[in-house]
Amino acid sequence: MRIAICDDSLNDLDLLRTTILNHTYIRDTQVDSYTSSVEFIEKVENGTYYDIVFLDIEMPEMNGIECGHRLHRATNNTVLIFLTNFPQYALEGYECEALRYLVKPCDANKIKDTLVRALQVVEEKTHKITIKKQNSNISIKISDLYFVEYSNRHIVYHTKNETIEAGGTLENVYDKLKYYGFIQVHQGYLVNMEKIKTFKNSYVILDNGTNVIMSVRRKTEVYSEYIKYLERH
């Protein structure tokens, strides 16, 4: 994950940088700081890519609105968050498809909330889920993920090539994965409906031969949701 902060105010820049680096969800993420919008946009237009950008609007050489338009032309996958002292700029900013506006002075909690939403959007754009394992982050392609189980107080991700064990709750994982065609078939299992081959008795049979148990009380709901999924795809 690469994040850029572009702000000519060193105090605001330091607050953003410190808040981002202290956010445990994105530990080890690279954060680059710029005090010049011209330097920043030239880097982007020359091939430097950022997943998330925090961009101040009131910049001396080139204002953030113009910089944001150039950023959007250079890459439409970057998640843009504007920083400003003047909320009236909001309408112009949304023309750059900015995710949000942070009005200065920025509150640390609002920065964190915005960051969490930005990370969700990045995952939606790239069709990956980021999981935290110990002190590092691991990205998994949704298309490689077959099912997720809760076992021995851990979340276990079963992918095409490996099994990854991490912390968390199945409820929180499902909140992310339900938008990608996953369904809860049992209190301890989530299944990627794209990988379902058939159903047999109380099991969901995946196309790699794995049998995942399905609870009796969820069976009707699972069948119904799977039919809806097939109709959409």
Side-chain angles (χ1 to χ4, degrees):
M1 182 73 65
R2 300 192 66 189
I3 298 176
I5 307 167
C6 186
D7 195 324
D8 61 326
S9 167
L10 293 179
N11 288 336
D12 292 332
L13 192 151
D14 287 343
L15 172 62
L16 275 162
R17 182 177 179 83
T18 300
T19 303
I20 291 169
L21 291 175
N22 286 339
H23 197 290
T24 55
Y25 182 55
I26 56 166
R27 188 178 298 168
D28 300 329
T29 292
Q30 179 178 329
V31 180
D32 294 339
S33 302
Y34 298 88
T35 55
S36 165
S37 54
V38 172
E39 178 189 1
F40 163 71
I41 199 61
E42 286 179 351
K43 284 281 188 70
V44 171
E45 291 175 340
N46 285 320
T48 300
Y49 178 77
Y50 291 103
D51 299 286
I52 301 170
V53 171
F54 289 84
L55 178 60
D56 186 23
I57 288 182
E58 296 85 36
M59 300 283 283
E61 298 171 290
M62 177 194 303
N63 69 52
I65 300 295
E66 181 182 351
C67 186
H69 280 296
R70 288 176 61 173
L71 173 66
H72 184 61
R73 286 195 295 269
T75 169
N76 59 9
N77 282 328
T78 296
V79 178
L80 174 61
I81 296 128
F82 275 124
L83 313 168
T84 182
N85 289 304
F86 306 103
Q88 62 265 32
Y89 281 118
L91 186 58
E92 289 183 75
Y94 287 125
E95 292 176 359
C96 304
E97 298 191 13
L99 175 69
R100 281 189 187 172
Y101 254 79
L102 285 176
V103 178
K104 296 182 179 183
C106 296
D107 175 77
N109 287 327
K110 288 185 178 179
I111 294 171
K112 290 179 182 179
D113 289 343
T114 300
L115 195 55
V116 168
R117 177 58 189 140
L119 289 166
Q120 290 173 342
V121 172
V122 169
E123 289 173 356
E124 290 166 7
K125 286 176 176 286
T126 57
H127 294 283
K128 292 181 180 180
I129 182 173
T130 302
I131 62 174
K132 184 176 176 353
K133 184 176 181 180
Q134 296 177 341
N135 292 327
S136 62
N137 291 320
I138 301 172
S139 290
I140 302 174
K141 288 176 65 176
I142 298 297
S143 59
D144 287 344
L145 185 56
Y146 278 77
F147 70 101
V148 182
E149 69 173 311
Y150 184 74
S151 176
N152 296 322
R153 299 184 180 180
H154 289 86
I155 300 297
V156 184
Y157 299 84
H158 296 265
T159 75
K160 180 171 65 174
N161 299 314
E162 61 182 331
T163 298
I164 302 168
E165 189 173 297
T169 67
L170 199 66
E171 181 182 4
N172 288 340
V173 175
Y174 184 50
D175 283 342
K176 288 185 178 182
L177 291 179
K178 63 185 178 183
Y179 300 106
Y180 298 106
F182 279 72
I183 187 168
Q184 186 160 8
V185 299
H186 184 277
Q187 65 179 3
Y189 292 93
L190 307 176
V191 166
N192 186 347
M193 288 191 281
E194 181 186 16
K195 307 298 186 184
I196 293 176
K197 181 178 181 180
T198 189
F199 298 91
K200 186 175 181 180
N201 299 324
S202 294
Y203 289 91
V204 182
I205 315 300
L206 306 184
D207 60 20
N208 66 349
T210 301
N211 293 0
V212 179
I213 193 167
M214 176 173 54
S215 68
V216 174
R217 70 182 184 87
R218 293 182 185 270
K219 187 177 290 188
T220 300
E221 179 188 355
V222 170
Y223 288 162
S224 175
E225 289 301 314
Y226 185 59
I227 289 170
K228 291 177 184 176
Y229 173 82
L230 293 178
E231 289 173 346
R232 293 194 302 269
H233 295 77

